[in-house]
Amino acid sequence: MKNLYLILVALALLPLGVKAQQGQMQFFRPNDQRGLNIFETSKKDTVAFTGLKVKIGGNFELSFQDLTDGNTALPKTQTGFTGNVNSLIKLMPGFNLPMANLNVDVQLADGIRLNLTSYLATRHHEDTWVKGGYIQFDKLTFLHSDLVDQLMKSFTIKIGQNDVDYGDQHFRRSDGGNTIYNPFVENYIMDEFSTETGAEIYYHHKSGFFLMGGITNGELNETVVAPTKIDSATKQVNKYPPAYHGKIGFDKQINEDTRIRLSGSFYTVSSANSSTLFGGDRTGSHYYYIMSNQNIANGTTLNNAVDYNAFSGRFNPGFSEEVHTYMANLFLKHKGLEFFGTYEDARGRSITETSNRGAKQYAVDVIYRFPANKENFWVGGRYNTVTATIAGNPADVTINRGVGSIGWFMTKNIMMKAEYVDQVYKNYANTNILNGGQFNGVMLEAAIAF
């Protein structure tokens, strides 16, 4: 964590010579409890611009894990590794490596905001990594056009290396040290999240209708090196065309007690250097060492990673070459009762495959927050299931997860939560480490956000 102190010292010197100050940002999602159930930022112009503002924020989380796992896979040896590569690491209760994020938000001009987020320490990368950044335009007053000013009352433009706005779940997921928006410890089994370079344009209507169109380079790690690999489906040298995504929906506070949001999203790319829509998280799973093998870990060369299986408990369909996927989300909130549902249908392949495979995901969250008007406590449950075709497996595999959660916002910046999780793997071949796999147990997590 020494990098954290160096960065904070450097940032503390930024205001010298510049009239920068902590203050409210325009068209901004707060980093703390106030950011719950905010998806795309609102077009409500409620913060007056009074000059350049710099906001330094952070996210910190610490978790205690008491999980047990098991499987029925046949013993297997593998070239380059010693011992049975299908045996599981023996686990014990204990604390996991804490994760931390650093957030820098700058109000550059009236209606123009900049964000830069860095991962200071995570499970997947122990050292500091820049997650990404973007500039958001909600006003274009520098163009001095009354017509443009009127249009921008309904439009938002985001440009940069940023979260791909595919689906609504990524607004509720844990992101390294940022776990304040997630009522559970972990994300979905099939975690759709990636940062890509591109732009998104949003249209907001006062009725609650909204529309978004986006284009990106389709890559987490950009490259200007010409491709040389041959696509097994086309028999041609691989190409790196743009990726496209979009969203349409309706989000309305019907009355004082009831809100409804319904959205549909898609993401599509026909070929890529390495598409990471289902594997773009640079922080790692919050379930440590689940369904992992010590012999492979011992024989794996790592570079700035805590363990070889940083995404344990998740499922990546392996659509690294071609991805075509869509998601439907329904969010309902009546007083303290919340419902969030997800249906996802994805198809894709790797560069060595000649045809697409499929993966489907369903998830339902039910959360009750109390007491009225404060909602700083909650109880909740989640059911999440994935069914997918994977290469070399005789049948489609299924992964089911059930989670129960309780939590407490001690203040708007400090949160504690506990959950019980049970996950089961079905239909994996008996030579796969996940054959007959299951894990369950208790997780405790504390988080700070500001």
Side-chain angles (χ1 to χ4, degrees):
M1 297 291 286
K2 63 180 181 180
N3 289 328
L4 170 61
Y5 301 110
L6 294 174
I7 291 173
L8 289 177
V9 169
L11 289 171
L13 299 176
L14 281 178
L16 298 180
V18 180
K19 188 181 178 182
Q21 58 182 331
Q22 293 284 343
Q24 286 186 303
M25 299 285 111
Q26 295 179 313
F27 310 102
F28 177 72
R29 183 188 191 186
N31 296 330
D32 52 42
Q33 183 186 8
R34 295 170 298 169
L36 290 181
N37 299 327
I38 292 179
F39 298 87
E40 299 82 11
T41 52
S42 169
K43 287 300 294 184
K44 292 181 180 179
D45 192 1
T46 58
V47 178
F49 177 70
T50 58
L52 178 71
K53 293 186 179 72
V54 178
K55 177 177 173 56
I56 307 301
N59 305 99
F60 306 91
E61 70 81 32
L62 173 64
S63 63
F64 180 87
Q65 176 174 308
D66 186 5
L67 300 179
T68 59
D69 57 3
N71 67 358
T72 57
L74 295 176
K76 186 176 74 171
T77 58
Q78 186 171 321
T79 302
F81 302 97
T82 59
N84 176 16
V85 296
N86 276 343
S87 62
L88 300 180
I89 293 175
K90 184 176 178 60
L91 301 176
M92 69 175 189
F95 287 97
N96 290 321
L97 175 74
M99 301 193 204
N101 297 4
L102 177 68
N103 310 309
V104 180
D105 291 282
V106 184
Q107 192 73 56
L108 296 170
D110 191 12
I112 304 176
R113 180 172 58 82
L114 173 73
N115 169 267
L116 173 66
T117 300
S118 297
Y119 298 125
L120 299 179
T122 69
R123 175 186 180 186
H124 190 36
H125 295 292
E126 294 177 299
D127 55 359
T128 298
W129 282 59
V130 175
K131 170 192 172 182
Y134 64 89
I135 188 169
Q136 178 170 314
F137 297 92
D138 284 282
K139 297 180 183 180
L140 297 174
T141 55
F142 58 86
L143 295 178
H144 306 291
S145 167
D146 292 339
L147 175 61
V148 172
D149 291 346
Q150 189 64 32
L151 287 172
M152 288 303 293
K153 291 181 179 180
S154 300
F155 284 89
T156 297
I157 302 170
K158 293 176 74 173
I159 303 172
Q161 172 85 3
N162 186 40
D163 301 5
V164 176
D165 189 6
Y166 162 66
D168 286 347
Q169 165 59 17
H170 73 100
F171 292 107
R172 297 166 59 90
R173 68 187 293 279
S174 294
D175 184 24
N178 182 8
T179 68
I180 205 81
Y181 306 134
N182 191 350
F184 305 95
V185 171
E186 238 300 89
N187 303 324
Y188 280 174
I189 296 170
M190 194 162 70
D191 183 36
E192 48 290 290
F193 171 81
S194 185
T195 57
E196 299 176 3
T197 299
E200 296 169 342
I201 301 178
Y202 296 83
Y203 170 72
H204 314 259
H205 192 269
K206 60 183 179 181
S207 66
F209 169 80
F210 64 91
L211 183 68
M212 183 274 291
I215 181 172
T216 74
N217 65 334
E219 309 288 345
L220 173 63
N221 293 322
E222 296 87 346
T223 181
V224 294
V225 177
T228 57
K229 294 182 179 179
I230 302 299
D231 187 331
S232 297
T234 65
K235 310 303 181 184
Q236 303 294 320
V237 175
N238 199 22
K239 296 179 176 62
Y240 304 156
Y244 299 94
H245 62 285
K247 181 180 288 188
I248 186 171
F250 176 82
D251 191 342
K252 186 75 171 179
Q253 189 74 37
I254 304 300
N255 54 47
E256 184 179 355
D257 296 330
T258 306
R259 176 185 173 190
I260 181 171
R261 176 184 170 96
L262 178 65
S263 72
S265 306
F266 76 90
Y267 177 98
T268 181
V269 63
S270 57
S271 64
N273 180 38
S274 180
S275 178
T276 58
L277 183 66
F278 297 104
D281 182 9
R282 278 162 284 171
T283 68
S285 164
H286 289 249
Y287 298 148
Y288 283 58
Y289 301 105
I290 289 299
M291 310 305 298
S292 300
N293 176 260
Q294 189 66 60
N295 297 315
I296 291 184
N298 293 341
T300 301
T301 300
L302 300 176
N303 182 22
N304 299 320
V306 176
D307 65 83
Y308 83 98
N309 188 16
F311 307 103
S312 52
R314 297 182 187 173
F315 172 80
N316 185 339
F319 300 155
S320 56
E321 172 68 10
E322 183 177 357
V323 183
H324 308 286
T325 182
Y326 63 88
M327 179 188 291
N329 294 108
L330 175 63
F331 174 71
L332 298 171
K333 182 173 174 60
H334 179 71
K335 296 184 177 180
L337 184 63
E338 298 175 6
F339 172 93
F340 183 80
T342 297
Y343 168 75
E344 183 173 25
D345 191 338
R347 299 193 64 80
R349 62 184 178 89
S350 68
I351 195 171
T352 60
E353 295 177 292
T354 58
S355 60
N356 288 341
R357 297 177 284 108
K360 290 186 178 182
Q361 177 165 239
Y362 301 85
V364 173
D365 297 356
V366 178
I367 310 294
Y368 181 68
R369 302 184 189 273
F370 61 96
N373 302 319
K374 195 171 183 181
E375 297 188 357
N376 60 324
F377 293 92
W378 80 82
V379 294
R382 167 180 287 174
Y383 179 74
N384 183 193
T385 183
V386 171
T387 299
T389 302
I390 61 175
N393 204 77
D396 287 354
V397 299
T398 298
I399 307 172
N400 298 326
R401 179 189 294 170
V403 191
S405 171
I406 59 173
W408 175 28
F409 279 95
M410 301 168 63
T411 73
K412 67 181 181 181
N413 303 101
I414 306 172
M415 178 185 70
M416 298 182 66
K417 54 188 168 184
E419 71 170 34
Y420 177 82
V421 58
D422 184 272
Q423 182 161 312
V424 178
Y425 298 80
K426 298 181 178 180
N427 301 329
Y428 280 86
N430 59 13
T431 55
N432 191 307
I433 192 173
L434 299 179
N435 174 261
Q438 60 81 32
F439 68 86
N440 56 62
V442 174
M443 297 289 301
L444 307 176
E445 185 176 76
I448 298 174
F450 60 93

